[in-house]
């Protein structure tokens, strides 16, 4: 994975994808779990909360694909580590 902030070697990406698949999860789930663990260790708490962004575009709304704008919701994700 390459972007302007971070470059991840292909073998690491493949290992993460394989691990996520074996766990029945997505790479996003693995990243959120890693962030939960990091926050828990950093704060010394076993209960952590952070914000996650989800799509707010409802596919059940007529003509949703023709709508323009930011359709995002940020929700708190609470995790017991």
């Amino acid at each position: 994975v390459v972007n302007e902030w971070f470059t991840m070697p292909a073998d690491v990406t493949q290992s993460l994808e394989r691990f996520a698949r074996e766990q029945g999860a997505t790479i996003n789930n693995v990243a959120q779990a890693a962030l939960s663990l990091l926050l828990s260790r950093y704060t010394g708490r076993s209960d952590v909360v952070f914000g996650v962004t989800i799509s707010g575009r409802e596919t059940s709304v007529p003509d949703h694909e023709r709508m323009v704008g930011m359709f995002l919701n940020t929700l708190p994700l609470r995790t017991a580590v």
Side-chain angles (χ1 to χ4, degrees), residues 39-67:
L39 290 173
S40 175
R41 297 252 173 105
Y42 184 73
T43 62
R45 298 179 179 265
S46 61
D47 186 30
V48 295
V49 179
F50 59 93
V52 294
T53 304
I54 62 168
S55 172
R57 190 177 300 265
E58 282 292 325
T59 57
S60 61
V61 174
D63 293 329
H64 72 275
E65 60 278 322
R66 297 184 63 192
M67 295 179 183

Side-chain angles (χ1 to χ4, degrees), residues 8-28:
M8 185 180 299
D11 61 327
V12 174
T13 302
Q14 291 167 354
S15 293
L16 283 171
E17 289 172 339
R18 185 172 40 258
F19 176 75
R21 196 171 37 256
E22 289 169 355
Q23 301 305 311
T26 65
I27 289 187
N28 187 49

